[in-house]
Amino acid sequence: MAAFLHWFDESPERYWWFVCLVFSGVSFVALRPLLRKSCINNSAHSDWYWGWAILGLLLVGRWPILFVPFELNPDESQLIAGAATLRHDPIFWRSVDGGTAGPLDFYALLPAGWLTGHDSFLSARFTALVLVALTLLFIHQSVALGVGREAARLGGLSAVFFEALTLHTEFLHYSTELVSVCLLAAALYIGTNQLLTGTGDSIGRFFLGLLLGAVPFAKLQAAPLAVLLGLAFMMAQKRLQTQAPSRLTQQWSALIAGAAAPGMFFGGVMWLTGEWQNAVIPYLSNNLNYIGTNPMTVMESAAAIVRTTAGRGSLIQSWLLSGTGLLLLLPLIRRSWPRRTRWITLFCAVFLIVAFICIFIPRRPFPHYLQLLVIPWTLLLCLATGQLLEAWNDSRNPAVKILLASAAVVSAATVFYDRTGIVHPVIGTLSATRVQGRTPVAGIVLRYAREADALAIWGWMPQFFVETRLRQATRSATTTNEIVPGPYREFFRQRYLTDLRRSQPSVFIDAIRTQNGRLRDQPHAAYDENFSALAAFVQTRYRQVAEVEGARIYVRKDRFDSQEKSIATPSSPY
């Protein structure tokens, strides 16, 4: 592996030439029907084999980021730390509080962590890649069944290019939207298949509801999209009227029962473990408070996201703008649309509007929220491509055919062009970063901590959990709710202290003043300035052994070697 990475480091252009080779090959296969003189056979049927092309493009574009041994976003470290903690106690909200992230975001990390030997950035980004691949495959299959295989391949190409080639870390890290979007895409495919083929008994409807009902337990923010999708399937089934009213009622009941099942399951677990309050207050009440306390307006947060994603290499703006141009051009090319296509387009437009509402209602300038656009935007582009292919078949003018073919690939071509000329920031340092050591803070922690120990952190530096491979001593990997004034601050503080007393971590870190800590500018946020009960607990049971890069490190007194007078701060491995 080291030789492979070094070979690319020697000449970063090799990565781009490899990308061009693979992407050109897949593009040729997708474009081949447009090169024929005969009509395009855009028949509607399944196309699972195209999943290998999607996976291949994602692997070719994203593989360098798998080997970056540091966080791309603090949320990534928080999710990894939570997954590692769940291995010791699998009951969510008793061992882990995910904040705005639901339990499924954490459980989804466990298989890859088991395969790689431990929960790490590698396992998290591999999981992200798999989830993105599944999402795009389910969207592709839905379009292939409803519009046609060629429209699905051509129309979905730009989405694959964006996800594979983007260099923006907000779209490359394991984010909290990926599981919910994958669940929505899977539900879209299953529902589409059931509607178009007339198959699907009560068990099938129950499973469809199960996927939709699971969405809020991955990302509460995506719940409106699940509700919309469920209602759309019910309305479509009623409109088709292919079954007797009694049968329809039975299947609707199965769908609703499936949607309620995840809530009943997690509710049952909370009832059996007595963790109702620790689930309802953090995940429901506090998240509603999270929306209402942001001083930014919707327009300010939208403008901030636009600014953040404006740089070359992000690709999200080129994907959205080029797709918008295609959609605006379409009415001029094909004015008469089949009734079914109009209804599907209306649904996709409503889906897109609701997705934008979900993105901007929290009023937070986080670009990874834009992952919620992947399903509706890709569906709209595929529908537009399907209409272009119909117009291509109807036309007898070669010049018009060339124009239509160009319009069909404009979005994917724009995304690819926007990426050209940009050297991948990781290529050239792969072999060096792969063997990069831990931060000095992690090095000191591991002098005293043992493999089965817990680590407590005051502040926002969850990367220390990942670097040390120690589980969380408290349900909260970060302590924003314990520090920032709010209606539930006392609840979170008492819970934090209770968790500390229960777990008795071997090491406690006050990470408020670390350079990368998100709370470093919060006044009086240090544990001994902010929380007197916590200060008394730490000063009674712990002894400070070092202050490194702004982090104060405390070790439980029974772990401290009384003969060691001082701890020499190790030199930085960076």
Side-chain angles (χ1 to χ4, degrees):
M1 180 59 72
F4 171 78
L5 299 178
H6 182 68
W7 186 76
F8 278 100
D9 284 342
E10 285 181 330
S11 180
E13 294 81 9
R14 290 169 178 166
Y15 164 79
W16 184 243
W17 284 115
F18 185 48
V19 166
C20 290
L21 178 65
V22 176
F23 276 62
S24 298
V26 173
S27 300
F28 174 78
V29 175
L31 290 167
R32 188 172 56 181
L34 294 173
L35 304 178
R36 300 171 183 168
K37 294 183 179 180
S38 58
C39 290
I40 298 172
N41 180 22
N42 186 34
S43 57
H45 57 81
S46 62
D47 188 27
W48 289 107
Y49 288 116
W50 193 249
W52 293 109
I54 294 173
L55 180 61
L57 292 175
L58 289 172
L59 279 172
V60 168
R62 284 193 173 209
W63 70 263
I65 215 70
L66 297 175
F67 298 98
V68 175
F70 48 81
E71 68 179 17
L72 302 177
N73 184 289
D75 291 350
E76 190 175 45
S77 295
Q78 182 178 350
L79 290 161
I80 297 170
T85 304
L86 286 171
R87 296 185 187 279
H88 294 263
D89 181 357
I91 305 301
F92 202 82
W93 289 304
R94 185 175 68 187
S95 60
V96 176
D97 175 5
T100 60
L104 297 183
D105 290 335
F106 294 84
Y107 289 124
L109 288 170
L110 297 180
W114 177 78
L115 287 173
T116 58
H118 66 281
D119 299 290
S120 63
F121 297 120
L122 171 63
S123 64
R125 287 170 203 150
F126 178 77
T127 302
L129 189 150
V130 171
L131 289 171
V132 170
L134 288 173
T135 297
L136 295 174
L137 176 59
F138 286 132
I139 298 172
H140 171 80
Q141 282 295 102
S142 302
V143 177
L145 289 174
V147 182
R149 188 186 73 170
E150 304 305 336
R153 290 185 174 187
L154 274 173
L157 207 57
S158 61
V160 182
F161 279 21
F162 159 65
E163 293 285 10
L165 295 177
T166 181
L167 295 177
H168 203 301
T169 56
E170 288 284 309
F171 306 122
L172 290 172
H173 77 282
Y174 178 76
S175 68
T176 55
E177 292 74 30
L178 296 181
V179 173
S180 58
V181 172
C182 187
L183 289 170
L184 288 168
L188 175 70
Y189 164 68
I190 291 174
T192 302
N193 184 54
Q194 291 176 354
L195 285 175
L196 296 178
T197 62
T199 60
D201 53 12
S202 296
I203 296 177
R205 294 295 192 274
F206 179 86
F207 184 66
L208 172 61
L210 191 68
L211 291 172
L212 294 173
V215 170
F217 294 95
K219 186 75 172 178
L220 202 59
Q221 188 177 354
L225 296 174
V227 173
L228 174 64
L229 196 55
L231 291 175
F233 282 133
M234 294 172 72
M235 292 174 61
Q237 190 178 13
K238 181 174 176 58
R239 189 174 183 82
L240 292 174
Q241 292 182 342
T242 57
Q243 295 174 334
S246 59
R247 181 69 172 167
L248 188 65
T249 303
Q250 183 183 7
Q251 294 195 352
W252 281 7
S253 300
L255 177 68
I256 295 171
M264 294 176 65
F265 171 78
F266 283 106
V269 172
M270 293 304 99
W271 178 71
L272 290 173
T273 58
E275 297 293 337
W276 264 109
Q277 190 180 41
N278 288 314
V280 173
I281 290 180
Y283 198 54
L284 296 179
S285 304
N286 194 57
N287 277 337
L288 292 174
N289 180 66
Y290 178 80
I291 295 174
T293 56
N294 194 347
M296 295 184 75
T297 65
V298 171
M299 294 305 298
E300 287 173 341
S301 65
I305 290 177
V306 170
R307 288 194 301 270
T308 306
T309 58
R312 289 195 67 199
S314 166
L315 306 185
I316 184 69
Q317 292 191 18
S318 59
W319 182 45
L320 295 176
L321 291 174
S322 61
T324 301
L326 173 61
L327 295 175
L328 293 176
L329 180 66
L330 194 60
L332 303 176
I333 297 175
R334 191 169 179 82
R335 297 183 179 180
S336 178
W337 291 31
R339 185 178 182 182
R340 175 179 150 187
T341 303
R342 292 200 302 268
W343 277 108
I344 296 174
T345 303
L346 177 62
F347 161 72
C348 292
V350 173
F351 200 117
L352 182 67
I353 292 170
V354 175
F356 272 115
I357 293 173
C358 292
I359 290 168
F360 293 119
I361 281 298
R363 294 175 292 156
R364 306 282 170 168
F366 301 144
H368 58 80
Y369 287 175
L370 296 176
Q371 291 282 6
L372 296 176
L373 296 178
V374 169
I375 295 177
W377 194 245
T378 306
L379 288 177
L380 281 171
L381 294 183
C382 289
L383 286 169
T385 303
Q387 292 305 300
L388 287 175
L389 295 182
E390 293 294 329
W392 193 93
N393 282 337
D394 295 341
S395 177
R396 297 293 179 266
N397 188 326
V400 173
K401 284 182 175 287
I402 293 174
L403 176 63
L404 292 171
S406 301
V409 300
V410 65
S411 185
T414 302
V415 171
F416 191 83
Y417 176 78
D418 195 27
R419 178 65 175 78
T420 57
I422 305 176
V423 178
H424 199 294
V426 173
I427 303 294
T429 60
L430 278 170
S431 54
T433 56
R434 182 173 175 266
V435 297
Q436 202 167 50
R438 299 183 179 94
T439 58
V441 173
I444 292 178
V445 169
L446 291 175
R447 290 185 184 184
Y448 298 96
R450 298 166 188 165
E451 185 177 353
D453 284 352
L455 170 66
I457 297 177
W458 181 261
W460 196 311
M461 283 297 289
Q463 74 177 67
F464 292 154
F465 291 114
V466 184
E467 291 180 353
T468 60
R469 301 185 188 178
L470 298 176
R471 60 186 172 89
Q472 297 172 199
T474 61
R475 275 167 267 216
S476 302
T478 62
T479 57
T480 304
N481 294 321
E482 289 84 350
I483 293 173
V484 179
Y488 302 105
R489 185 168 74 164
E490 285 307 312
F491 165 81
F492 286 109
R493 285 187 168 193
Q494 292 306 313
R495 191 184 68 172
Y496 186 89
L497 200 55
T498 300
D499 289 347
L500 275 183
R501 288 169 176 157
R502 181 192 64 197
S503 60
Q504 295 291 321
S506 56
V507 180
F508 173 88
I509 302 176
D510 182 354
I512 289 296
R513 300 293 175 244
T514 52
Q515 183 178 359
N516 296 323
R518 282 191 180 181
L519 299 171
R520 62 183 179 276
D521 296 325
Q522 187 76 20
H524 307 294
Y527 84 98
D528 46 357
E529 299 176 25
N530 189 275
F531 190 4
S532 58
L534 176 62
F537 177 86
V538 173
Q539 291 165 8
T540 301
R541 294 170 174 79
Y542 293 81
R543 184 179 303 179
Q544 183 175 349
V545 297
E547 182 171 346
V548 183
E549 298 179 344
R552 292 184 290 172
I553 305 172
Y554 298 80
V555 174
R556 206 172 64 215
K557 290 181 178 180
D558 63 314
R559 289 288 179 88
F560 189 81
D561 185 357
S562 59
Q563 296 179 351
E564 185 175 7
K565 301 299 182 182
S566 63
I567 300 294
T569 301
S571 59
S572 173
Y574 292 100

